[in-house]
Amino acid sequence: MSEMVLAESIYVKQNKSSFGSGATLKEKVLETFWFPKKIENGLVELLLVTDDFQRILGISETVPVEQFEQEYAAKDDTYETYMNLKKLMP
């Protein structure tokens, strides 16, 4: 089995939510943006990024690689943003 390599970009996770019922039912897709910190022992560690891509927040999430591949997608044209945020990492 080959080792998964993370793209140098911001990842997006979409969550679908439903509000109300019947005629008032509304469905929304909420997007959160994540900075991939590392992949190790079959787990991916991610850090939450602000919606304007200016800061990494202190919120992290660690998920198994299989879950990561299903729920997260590299956001197009975010290589430069990724590199800028990487410079801010301690």
Side-chain angles (χ1 to χ4, degrees):
M1 184 163 99
S2 64
E3 185 73 22
M4 180 183 164
V5 176
L6 296 171
E8 291 182 323
S9 67
I10 301 300
Y11 283 81
V12 62
K13 179 180 180 184
Q14 294 185 341
N15 296 308
K16 295 180 183 179
S17 300
S18 298
F19 303 96
S21 63
T24 63
L25 179 67
K26 300 280 187 204
E27 291 188 359
K28 296 281 185 181
V29 176
L30 304 172
E31 291 185 332
T32 52
F33 303 101
W34 299 88
F35 179 92
K37 184 175 180 184
K38 66 179 176 180
I39 184 168
E40 189 174 77
N41 299 323
L43 298 172
V44 180
E45 185 177 350
L46 303 150
L47 300 170
L48 187 62
V49 176
T50 58
D51 290 346
D52 62 2
F53 305 116
Q54 297 299 308
R55 293 186 305 125
I56 295 175
L57 300 173
I59 299 169
S60 67
E61 185 166 291
T62 302
V63 297
V65 170
E66 297 82 18
Q67 180 181 347
F68 176 80
E69 292 175 326
Q70 293 173 358
E71 296 180 2
Y72 296 81
K75 184 161 177 57
D76 292 337
D77 301 323
T78 57
Y79 172 79
E80 187 175 323
T81 302
Y82 170 87
M83 296 308 286
N84 289 335
L85 290 172
K86 187 174 182 176
K87 291 176 192 172
L88 300 175
M89 294 291 292

